[in-house]
Amino acid sequence: AMDELEREYMKYSTKLAVSCILDDVEKNPMEANTEVEEAVPYFNAGTMAVISGPKRFTEKAKAYLMRKGYPENCICILP
């Protein structure tokens, strides 16, 4: 998954802001993590979010992004 994520980043490196946050999101809600809250803005037109990780994480991250206003078609989940 890291290779695919890196390829996607390299395609748009001048237009992407990348954040990698390691936390136990099964125990802690994303909204409770200040790093996540600071790194993830509310949706703006033209913004796309890319999520990568285990299925349980990506499902939780997708729900979090949707609560921040991201439409489903602006969220890309990489395996």
Side-chain angles (χ1 to χ4, degrees):
M2 288 301 292
D3 289 340
E4 189 172 352
L5 185 59
E6 185 176 1
R7 276 193 302 276
E8 289 298 312
Y9 174 75
M10 293 311 286
K11 274 197 243 178
Y12 310 102
S13 62
T14 61
K15 297 180 181 182
L16 289 179
V18 176
S19 297
C20 181
I21 298 166
L22 303 174
D23 191 17
D24 188 345
V25 295
E26 288 190 32
K27 291 181 183 174
N28 307 314
M30 291 187 171
E31 290 86 351
N33 184 313
T34 56
E35 277 189 83
V36 173
E37 282 294 304
E38 290 173 7
V40 181
Y42 283 92
F43 178 74
N44 286 315
T47 302
M48 179 180 168
V50 179
I51 305 167
S52 183
K55 183 176 177 155
R56 206 169 177 151
F57 168 77
T58 59
E59 289 171 351
K60 195 168 187 178
K62 179 180 175 184
Y64 172 76
L65 288 167
M66 292 181 80
R67 288 192 298 276
K68 302 246 341 180
Y70 285 73
E72 195 165 355
N73 67 343
C74 292
I75 301 171
C76 175
I77 299 175
L78 301 176

